Amino acid sequence: MSKDIYVFIEQRDGNIQNVSYELLGEARSLAEDLGQRVVGVLLGSDIVEKANKLIKYGADEVIVVDDAILKEYMTEPYTKALTKIIKENDPEILLIGATSIGRDLGPRISARIRTGLTADCTSLYIDPETKGLHMTRPAFGGNLMAVIQCKNHRPQMATIRPGVMQTLEKDESRKGIVRKVVVDFSDIGNNVEILEVIKKEKKNSDITKSKYIVSGGRGVGNAENFKLLGDLASTIGGDLAGSRAAVDSGWVDADKQVGQTGKTVKPELYIACGISGAIQHVAGMENSGLIIAINKNDTAPIFDVADLGIVGDVKSILPPLIAAINKAKSEGMDYVAPSSDKYLGMENILFNIKNRIAYLTINRPRFLNALNRKTLLEIEAVVEKLEKDESVQVVIVRGAGGRAFVAGADISKMIDMNEEEGEEISSLAQSVFSRLKNLPQVVIGAINGYALGGGNELAMACDIRIASSRAKFGQPEVKLGLIPGFGGTQRLQRIVGQGLSKELIFTGEMISAEEAFRIGLVSRVVAPEALNRVVNDLAMKIMSNGMKAVKLAKKSINEGGSIDLDNGLAVENRDWTSCFTNEESKEGMSAFVEKRKPKFNDF
Amino acid sequence: MKILVCMKQVPDTSEVTLDPVTNTLIRKGIRSIINPDDKAGIEAALALRDKIEDCTVTVVSMGPQQAEMAIKEALAMGCDEGYLVSDRKFGGSDTLATSTILAAALKKIGYDLIITGRQAIDGDTAQVGPQIAEHLGIPHVSYVEEFDVDDEEDALIVLRQFEDRYHKMRIKFPCLLTAISGYGEPKYLTVAGVYEADKKEVKHFNYEDLKDLLDDGCIGLKGSPTKVVKSYTKEQKTQGTLLKGLTSNEAVEAIMARLNEGHIL
């Protein structure tokens, strides 16, 4: 039977290409969904010592074919080696980077094995029912997305667009096997030979790897103004890029062109200056994290994809912006926006308030935001302030970094605990989570990645949970000989029922976001890049209503959750009655009768 | 020497727009063109023909009957003959099935050199060329930017482009190249060329003509390992915030607040 996810590891001059690490990260996530392993296939010459690094980035096994003939890519020797490995191991899935090498090799392999190949995919997903691979790819110049399956042939093969998948953080403690395979290349003739390898001139930095990009288009006006973009880029520690128009005008090098005919980039921040946003440009940057666009023309299509659009002149906005960022940096702290209150001095969480929404971010991305005592105490301190803060209406709880909401409690700190210390940490967490749950504000959990153990328990202490499609949920404590101790045995059954709750806790298995949605653990699943926006929009939607009523409803629901129906109805009756003592309900009902929008903000 | 060029008739995707209401592709009224990379392949083949004695260029296209128009255009560009491979049984083929059928047709016609475009602008897979070469058991070089016949006329010297390097290679006939568009100067149609083309007849291959070379399980929809299960136009991002009429300082404040909220600073 076919098994395991194989990743073709591409090397050039003995250097593993970035796309291969990205594919290992993606394969890891597919492997978890399938309960299978990730196997890297590394072909090259004098290459075997690079295999260990692949394990640190997610491979369980690396198969190495080390032969002088594989030093420089050639179609036939590579096809022969990879075909042999596929035939001997029967992989379930084979992923290849959609580089020019991958797109030369992939079709040759697929035709030799006679299996399907899907080109240039931008997203992969395992169907929870059939366990088949869904491969999504753009077609029609990026106007259409097609989802493709390969049901009856194995391996399911795909080439994957570079820069789209997430590389995992290097984990020095990961262990795996390195296996050398010998391939007989003696029958490869001299029908094809490389006479000369001509390297292209190395240009400075590669924008597909940039974390922050400042990009300019025709609207920047001239080379002088374009220098401002370079200044902004260096101020934020990012790179300069441009649209085709900017490249054609000679303001920026051709290898910095973003778009269909240039590079596809996915930085955390993309600042588009004077770029109108033609579909060809947007195709190369729309998956960026935060997109800020500045353009004079308020109908520029770039504003359709921007998270923040500013109608204005690049030339007059950039100099003060650069100054403001420099000032914030020199003060050695996060810039404090005038409208946001901030509690400083926290190590493991970030906290700020804006537009009556408080953002509580668990900020230990290197440890997948795992909860330790200090983090719990910091959450407690924030919750204590929120309990008294009437200016805040909604609290959004989220995890920093792209991978985890909260991946659990910090187990490394628990190994040496005695009974007393164990009791103390559970009591602390339970009390903090209960206080969070009972905050007067609406608490929304934005679950962006792993929500395991204490993370799932934290999520369940939120009023509403919205998950990214990358999120995973579980209570894996029994795998460590523990039981959930931060509320899991009690809260989970109240959300999904006893049977499911027991299954999840007894098996300790992880479930996908879709499954969490199906069983009612989360109320929505959205694309990863849309999560923050959806949660913000939800907060705004709630806040457009009478917030006194929302808070009373929350109180009523919370109290009802732990008492019987008759007593619950009595609670509802009490809170309903109290609505009539405030002005908010008068305004709401009058507005309804007068067919106008209510003005709730005054109350 | 016999050069075969594979070409595809495609909708001009640069003209494709989305219906703002239904958010679906508007296909109506979009003109059909020869796929640009394939056109480059034809140009390259014609340029090579001029250098070699007794050399002919044949275009081969698989598609519906209307693709005959594209073949006529190729003939008007100066190609010597054209074949249309068309049959209901071929409908719904994915890249593997398509390459299987084309390989059978090419084998029937006979070749020394096969040229395909790198990729078609409607599907963008870049898979059919290398797959044809595999079915025919001949070597291929993809992403070819320049090529010329070598002194002994038994091989080509090609320059192929990868992201970070070029490979200068020697490849013996018979072989297949996939060409990048932008090869050479475009050859414009001449009145004489169009007139000549009109006299040439497009030849046809259907299932019956190729069946001795085909396994029924490997063609058409049912011979295709991959299936499109769903297609959709890209999800429009939910509306961001658009701020107008701000002073520069207000604009800076708005940007800083957003950077701060995103924990970028």
Side-chain angles (χ1 to χ4, degrees), chain B residues 9 11 29 63 70-71 89 96 116-117 119 137 143 150 163 169 176 193 199 202 215 220:
Chain B
Q9 186 185 45
I71 296 175
K89 284 199 157 109
L96 190 67
T116 73
Q119 66 195 67
Y143 298 95
D150 85 344
E163 291 88 347
M169 304 171 81
L176 181 146
K199 290 195 291 187
V202 174
D215 171 351

PDB file of all heavy atoms in Angstrom, chain B residues 9 11 29 63 70-71 89 96 116-117 119 137 143 150 163 169 176 193 199 202 215 220:
ATOM      1  N   GLN B   9      -4.459  26.101 -29.602  1.00  0.00           N
ATOM      2  CA  GLN B   9      -5.256  27.308 -29.724  1.00  0.00           C
ATOM      3  C   GLN B   9      -5.811  27.629 -28.338  1.00  0.00           C
ATOM      4  O   GLN B   9      -6.378  26.761 -27.672  1.00  0.00           O
ATOM      5  CB  GLN B   9      -6.402  27.081 -30.712  1.00  0.00           C
ATOM      6  CG  GLN B   9      -7.193  28.344 -30.991  1.00  0.00           C
ATOM      7  CD  GLN B   9      -8.396  28.084 -31.874  1.00  0.00           C
ATOM      8  OE1 GLN B   9      -9.145  27.128 -31.665  1.00  0.00           O
ATOM      9  NE2 GLN B   9      -8.586  28.930 -32.867  1.00  0.00           N
ATOM     10  N   PRO B  11      -7.668  30.699 -25.517  1.00  0.00           N
ATOM     11  CA  PRO B  11      -8.315  32.006 -25.396  1.00  0.00           C
ATOM     12  C   PRO B  11      -7.267  33.020 -24.945  1.00  0.00           C
ATOM     13  O   PRO B  11      -6.357  32.675 -24.196  1.00  0.00           O
ATOM     14  CB  PRO B  11      -9.372  31.782 -24.317  1.00  0.00           C
ATOM     15  CG  PRO B  11      -8.928  30.586 -23.562  1.00  0.00           C
ATOM     16  CD  PRO B  11      -8.085  29.765 -24.482  1.00  0.00           C
ATOM     17  N   GLY B  29     -16.925  36.210 -26.322  1.00  0.00           N
ATOM     18  CA  GLY B  29     -16.307  37.312 -27.049  1.00  0.00           C
ATOM     19  C   GLY B  29     -14.797  37.375 -26.912  1.00  0.00           C
ATOM     20  O   GLY B  29     -14.181  38.317 -27.384  1.00  0.00           O
ATOM     21  N   GLY B  63      -7.307  19.487 -30.529  1.00  0.00           N
ATOM     22  CA  GLY B  63      -8.343  20.388 -30.051  1.00  0.00           C
ATOM     23  C   GLY B  63      -9.608  20.197 -30.845  1.00  0.00           C
ATOM     24  O   GLY B  63      -9.695  19.296 -31.679  1.00  0.00           O
ATOM     25  N   ALA B  70      -6.339  28.074 -36.234  1.00  0.00           N
ATOM     26  CA  ALA B  70      -4.985  28.339 -35.731  1.00  0.00           C
ATOM     27  C   ALA B  70      -3.952  27.656 -36.626  1.00  0.00           C
ATOM     28  O   ALA B  70      -2.882  28.207 -36.880  1.00  0.00           O
ATOM     29  CB  ALA B  70      -4.873  27.857 -34.294  1.00  0.00           C
ATOM     30  N   ILE B  71      -4.299  26.458 -37.097  1.00  0.00           N
ATOM     31  CA  ILE B  71      -3.365  25.740 -37.976  1.00  0.00           C
ATOM     32  C   ILE B  71      -3.203  26.499 -39.296  1.00  0.00           C
ATOM     33  O   ILE B  71      -2.098  26.653 -39.810  1.00  0.00           O
ATOM     34  CB  ILE B  71      -3.850  24.295 -38.211  1.00  0.00           C
ATOM     35  CG1 ILE B  71      -3.842  23.556 -36.875  1.00  0.00           C
ATOM     36  CG2 ILE B  71      -2.966  23.586 -39.234  1.00  0.00           C
ATOM     37  CD1 ILE B  71      -4.401  22.154 -36.936  1.00  0.00           C
ATOM     38  N   LYS B  89     -13.574  11.225 -28.419  1.00  0.00           N
ATOM     39  CA  LYS B  89     -12.952  10.328 -27.434  1.00  0.00           C
ATOM     40  C   LYS B  89     -11.764  10.972 -26.736  1.00  0.00           C
ATOM     41  O   LYS B  89     -11.301  10.486 -25.712  1.00  0.00           O
ATOM     42  CB  LYS B  89     -12.465   9.048 -28.125  1.00  0.00           C
ATOM     43  CG  LYS B  89     -13.584   8.090 -28.466  1.00  0.00           C
ATOM     44  CD  LYS B  89     -13.011   6.701 -28.685  1.00  0.00           C
ATOM     45  CE  LYS B  89     -14.049   5.626 -28.465  1.00  0.00           C
ATOM     46  NZ  LYS B  89     -14.507   4.935 -29.623  1.00  0.00           N
ATOM     47  N   LEU B  96      -1.448  14.179 -19.022  1.00  0.00           N
ATOM     48  CA  LEU B  96      -0.873  12.858 -19.320  1.00  0.00           C
ATOM     49  C   LEU B  96      -1.571  12.228 -20.519  1.00  0.00           C
ATOM     50  O   LEU B  96      -0.931  11.696 -21.430  1.00  0.00           O
ATOM     51  CB  LEU B  96      -0.959  11.946 -18.084  1.00  0.00           C
ATOM     52  CG  LEU B  96      -0.177  10.642 -18.210  1.00  0.00           C
ATOM     53  CD1 LEU B  96       1.320  10.900 -18.271  1.00  0.00           C
ATOM     54  CD2 LEU B  96      -0.481   9.705 -17.033  1.00  0.00           C
ATOM     55  N   THR B 116       7.900  22.172 -28.783  1.00  0.00           N
ATOM     56  CA  THR B 116       6.629  22.578 -28.162  1.00  0.00           C
ATOM     57  C   THR B 116       6.893  23.887 -27.449  1.00  0.00           C
ATOM     58  O   THR B 116       8.024  24.199 -27.088  1.00  0.00           O
ATOM     59  CB  THR B 116       6.117  21.548 -27.129  1.00  0.00           C
ATOM     60  OG1 THR B 116       6.945  21.630 -25.951  1.00  0.00           O
ATOM     61  CG2 THR B 116       6.143  20.141 -27.651  1.00  0.00           C
ATOM     62  N   GLY B 117       5.840  24.647 -27.269  1.00  0.00           N
ATOM     63  CA  GLY B 117       5.981  25.851 -26.445  1.00  0.00           C
ATOM     64  C   GLY B 117       6.242  25.419 -25.017  1.00  0.00           C
ATOM     65  O   GLY B 117       5.963  24.283 -24.638  1.00  0.00           O
ATOM     66  N   GLN B 119       4.778  26.571 -22.203  1.00  0.00           N
ATOM     67  CA  GLN B 119       3.502  26.329 -21.544  1.00  0.00           C
ATOM     68  C   GLN B 119       2.407  27.109 -22.227  1.00  0.00           C
ATOM     69  O   GLN B 119       2.664  28.097 -22.898  1.00  0.00           O
ATOM     70  CB  GLN B 119       3.564  26.684 -20.064  1.00  0.00           C
ATOM     71  CG  GLN B 119       3.754  28.154 -19.747  1.00  0.00           C
ATOM     72  CD  GLN B 119       4.170  28.345 -18.298  1.00  0.00           C
ATOM     73  OE1 GLN B 119       5.256  27.958 -17.892  1.00  0.00           O
ATOM     74  NE2 GLN B 119       3.303  28.932 -17.515  1.00  0.00           N
ATOM     75  N   GLY B 137      10.145   8.141 -25.797  1.00  0.00           N
ATOM     76  CA  GLY B 137      11.441   7.599 -25.426  1.00  0.00           C
ATOM     77  C   GLY B 137      12.604   8.384 -26.016  1.00  0.00           C
ATOM     78  O   GLY B 137      13.648   7.827 -26.333  1.00  0.00           O
ATOM     79  N   TYR B 143      12.779  24.894 -21.446  1.00  0.00           N
ATOM     80  CA  TYR B 143      13.171  26.297 -21.237  1.00  0.00           C
ATOM     81  C   TYR B 143      14.284  26.738 -22.191  1.00  0.00           C
ATOM     82  O   TYR B 143      15.224  27.408 -21.793  1.00  0.00           O
ATOM     83  CB  TYR B 143      13.606  26.536 -19.787  1.00  0.00           C
ATOM     84  CG  TYR B 143      12.512  26.270 -18.790  1.00  0.00           C
ATOM     85  CD1 TYR B 143      12.406  25.044 -18.146  1.00  0.00           C
ATOM     86  CD2 TYR B 143      11.561  27.246 -18.523  1.00  0.00           C
ATOM     87  CE1 TYR B 143      11.386  24.796 -17.246  1.00  0.00           C
ATOM     88  CE2 TYR B 143      10.541  27.010 -17.622  1.00  0.00           C
ATOM     89  CZ  TYR B 143      10.462  25.779 -16.997  1.00  0.00           C
ATOM     90  OH  TYR B 143       9.446  25.543 -16.100  1.00  0.00           O
ATOM     91  N   ASP B 150      24.287  21.783 -34.882  1.00  0.00           N
ATOM     92  CA  ASP B 150      25.756  21.770 -34.776  1.00  0.00           C
ATOM     93  C   ASP B 150      26.384  21.402 -36.129  1.00  0.00           C
ATOM     94  O   ASP B 150      25.672  21.078 -37.095  1.00  0.00           O
ATOM     95  CB  ASP B 150      26.231  20.866 -33.631  1.00  0.00           C
ATOM     96  CG  ASP B 150      26.351  19.417 -34.031  1.00  0.00           C
ATOM     97  OD1 ASP B 150      25.784  19.037 -35.081  1.00  0.00           O
ATOM     98  OD2 ASP B 150      26.999  18.646 -33.305  1.00  0.00           O
ATOM     99  N   GLU B 163      16.454  29.619 -13.426  1.00  0.00           N
ATOM    100  CA  GLU B 163      16.358  30.884 -12.688  1.00  0.00           C
ATOM    101  C   GLU B 163      17.723  31.532 -12.491  1.00  0.00           C
ATOM    102  O   GLU B 163      17.876  32.739 -12.603  1.00  0.00           O
ATOM    103  CB  GLU B 163      15.746  30.661 -11.290  1.00  0.00           C
ATOM    104  CG  GLU B 163      14.272  30.271 -11.270  1.00  0.00           C
ATOM    105  CD  GLU B 163      14.051  28.770 -11.377  1.00  0.00           C
ATOM    106  OE1 GLU B 163      15.013  28.025 -11.714  1.00  0.00           O
ATOM    107  OE2 GLU B 163      12.908  28.339 -11.123  1.00  0.00           O
ATOM    108  N   MET B 169      24.045  23.216 -24.012  1.00  0.00           N
ATOM    109  CA  MET B 169      23.955  21.760 -24.118  1.00  0.00           C
ATOM    110  C   MET B 169      24.027  21.304 -25.580  1.00  0.00           C
ATOM    111  O   MET B 169      23.736  22.053 -26.496  1.00  0.00           O
ATOM    112  CB  MET B 169      22.637  21.263 -23.518  1.00  0.00           C
ATOM    113  CG  MET B 169      22.432  21.707 -22.078  1.00  0.00           C
ATOM    114  SD  MET B 169      20.782  21.321 -21.484  1.00  0.00           S
ATOM    115  CE  MET B 169      20.972  19.611 -21.078  1.00  0.00           C
ATOM    116  N   LEU B 176      13.332  16.520 -28.334  1.00  0.00           N
ATOM    117  CA  LEU B 176      12.231  17.478 -28.175  1.00  0.00           C
ATOM    118  C   LEU B 176      12.738  18.675 -27.386  1.00  0.00           C
ATOM    119  O   LEU B 176      13.478  18.519 -26.412  1.00  0.00           O
ATOM    120  CB  LEU B 176      11.053  16.801 -27.449  1.00  0.00           C
ATOM    121  CG  LEU B 176       9.784  17.636 -27.211  1.00  0.00           C
ATOM    122  CD1 LEU B 176       8.540  16.742 -27.302  1.00  0.00           C
ATOM    123  CD2 LEU B 176       9.790  18.360 -25.884  1.00  0.00           C
ATOM    124  N   GLY B 193       1.703  34.755 -48.197  1.00  0.00           N
ATOM    125  CA  GLY B 193       1.676  33.643 -47.246  1.00  0.00           C
ATOM    126  C   GLY B 193       0.254  33.178 -46.984  1.00  0.00           C
ATOM    127  O   GLY B 193      -0.043  31.986 -46.997  1.00  0.00           O
ATOM    128  N   LYS B 199      -4.250  27.441 -49.971  1.00  0.00           N
ATOM    129  CA  LYS B 199      -4.187  26.318 -50.904  1.00  0.00           C
ATOM    130  C   LYS B 199      -3.779  25.012 -50.211  1.00  0.00           C
ATOM    131  O   LYS B 199      -4.039  23.932 -50.692  1.00  0.00           O
ATOM    132  CB  LYS B 199      -3.192  26.639 -52.032  1.00  0.00           C
ATOM    133  CG  LYS B 199      -3.718  27.733 -52.971  1.00  0.00           C
ATOM    134  CD  LYS B 199      -2.937  27.799 -54.264  1.00  0.00           C
ATOM    135  CE  LYS B 199      -1.531  28.321 -54.014  1.00  0.00           C
ATOM    136  NZ  LYS B 199      -0.776  28.568 -55.235  1.00  0.00           N
ATOM    137  N   VAL B 202      -5.461  21.359 -44.363  1.00  0.00           N
ATOM    138  CA  VAL B 202      -5.163  20.864 -43.019  1.00  0.00           C
ATOM    139  C   VAL B 202      -5.524  19.377 -42.978  1.00  0.00           C
ATOM    140  O   VAL B 202      -6.626  18.989 -43.379  1.00  0.00           O
ATOM    141  CB  VAL B 202      -5.966  21.637 -41.952  1.00  0.00           C
ATOM    142  CG1 VAL B 202      -5.757  21.024 -40.577  1.00  0.00           C
ATOM    143  CG2 VAL B 202      -5.573  23.111 -41.967  1.00  0.00           C
ATOM    144  N   ASP B 215      -3.847   3.068 -26.133  1.00  0.00           N
ATOM    145  CA  ASP B 215      -4.533   2.202 -25.190  1.00  0.00           C
ATOM    146  C   ASP B 215      -5.744   2.997 -24.701  1.00  0.00           C
ATOM    147  O   ASP B 215      -5.599   4.107 -24.188  1.00  0.00           O
ATOM    148  CB  ASP B 215      -3.527   1.904 -24.044  1.00  0.00           C
ATOM    149  CG  ASP B 215      -4.198   1.178 -22.890  1.00  0.00           C
ATOM    150  OD1 ASP B 215      -5.442   1.052 -22.891  1.00  0.00           O
ATOM    151  OD2 ASP B 215      -3.460   0.746 -21.986  1.00  0.00           O
ATOM    152  N   GLY B 220      -8.564  10.504 -23.065  1.00  0.00           N
ATOM    153  CA  GLY B 220      -9.845  11.123 -22.725  1.00  0.00           C
ATOM    154  C   GLY B 220     -10.024  11.251 -21.229  1.00  0.00           C
ATOM    155  O   GLY B 220      -9.095  11.062 -20.436  1.00  0.00           O
TER     156      GLY B 220
END
